[in-house]
Amino acid sequence: MIEGADMPHWQKLIDQLEHYAAHDALVRYERFGGADENELAATESRLGFPFDAQYRDFLTHVNGWDAFSRSGQCLYRTDELGASGRWLESKQAANEWRYYYDEILAMGMPPLEELLLIGGTSESLSMTLCGNKGSSATWRILTITSEFTVWPDF
């Protein structure tokens, strides 16, 4: 485990999720090992843009995480991004609530079309998106549940 000032934000997320899952008998989860360079390159090629450095680094440690909360929230594996049935269902749900997106645009987030859906659930409206796809800028994270939350980086 990485500790101290050098700990990336995503490492704190991993630690929190593992703690939560270990102490909640109702949460069933599966954390997938990191993606290798071939998986990352294939996914970036399929999507048509590179990942930002922080998200790419995260994926080398955790290539997806199934059901890390009671609502069944997941982070998609590289082979699911832009391709799997559950990813496409979550993307469709995101398009269905797009009329709420003006509030998110007011937070300074890019248009919905420029965000990559990286997590979701089929059981409730709970999605995690990051963007700007193809931008060299650090991606911000947007989580949508009953409210919107924006983080400055991954």
Side-chain angles (χ1 to χ4, degrees), residues 52-116:
D52 96 314
Q54 290 181 354
Y55 183 54
R56 197 172 212 283
D57 189 31
F58 172 79
L59 288 171
T60 66
H61 293 83
V62 178
N63 184 12
W65 199 317
D66 274 348
F68 61 76
S69 70
R70 287 185 180 187
S71 69
Q73 177 82 4
C74 72
L75 293 174
Y76 298 115
R77 296 181 316 271
T78 53
D79 65 328
E80 292 183 292
L81 292 171
S84 74
R86 69 181 182 164
W87 186 93
L88 294 168
E89 287 174 15
S90 289
K91 184 69 173 171
Q92 179 60 38
N95 288 329
E96 290 171 4
W97 56 256
R98 75 180 302 112
Y99 59 92
Y100 291 112
Y101 200 72
D102 286 344
E103 184 178 339
I104 299 168
L105 288 171
M107 295 177 177
M109 290 298 288
L112 186 61
E113 299 77 25
E114 295 178 19
L115 298 175
L116 173 64

Side-chain angles (χ1 to χ4, degrees), residues 1-150:
M1 178 191 317
I2 304 167
E3 295 187 20
D6 293 334
M7 179 187 295
H9 291 163
W10 54 258
Q11 182 63 54
K12 294 173 190 170
L13 171 69
I14 291 170
D15 295 346
Q16 290 171 351
L17 292 175
E18 287 183 335
H19 176 80
Y20 176 68
H23 293 89
D24 190 337
L26 297 176
V27 175
R28 63 199 194 292
Y29 79 101
E30 182 175 4
R31 175 181 163 187
F32 297 95
D36 64 29
E37 183 56 37
N38 290 335
E39 292 169 305
L40 292 168
T43 304
E44 290 171 330
S45 177
R46 183 179 70 249
L47 294 172
F49 57 88
F51 297 128
D52 96 314
Q54 290 181 354
Y55 183 54
R56 197 172 212 283
D57 189 31
F58 172 79
L59 288 171
T60 66
H61 293 83
V62 178
N63 184 12
W65 199 317
D66 274 348
F68 61 76
S69 70
R70 287 185 180 187
S71 69
Q73 177 82 4
C74 72
L75 293 174
Y76 298 115
R77 296 181 316 271
T78 53
D79 65 328
E80 292 183 292
L81 292 171
S84 74
R86 69 181 182 164
W87 186 93
L88 294 168
E89 287 174 15
S90 289
K91 184 69 173 171
Q92 179 60 38
N95 288 329
E96 290 171 4
W97 56 256
R98 75 180 302 112
Y99 59 92
Y100 291 112
Y101 200 72
D102 286 344
E103 184 178 339
I104 299 168
L105 288 171
M107 295 177 177
M109 290 298 288
L112 186 61
E113 299 77 25
E114 295 178 19
L115 298 175
L116 173 64
L117 178 65
I118 62 168
T121 178
S122 61
E123 298 175 22
S124 65
L125 179 59
S126 179
M127 290 173 235
T128 303
L129 303 104
C130 60
N132 240 347
K133 295 189 300 194
S135 168
S136 60
T138 300
W139 288 1
R140 288 176 289 163
I141 304 298
L142 167 66
T143 299
I144 301 165
T145 53
S146 57
E147 57 188 39
F148 306 118
T149 307
V150 177

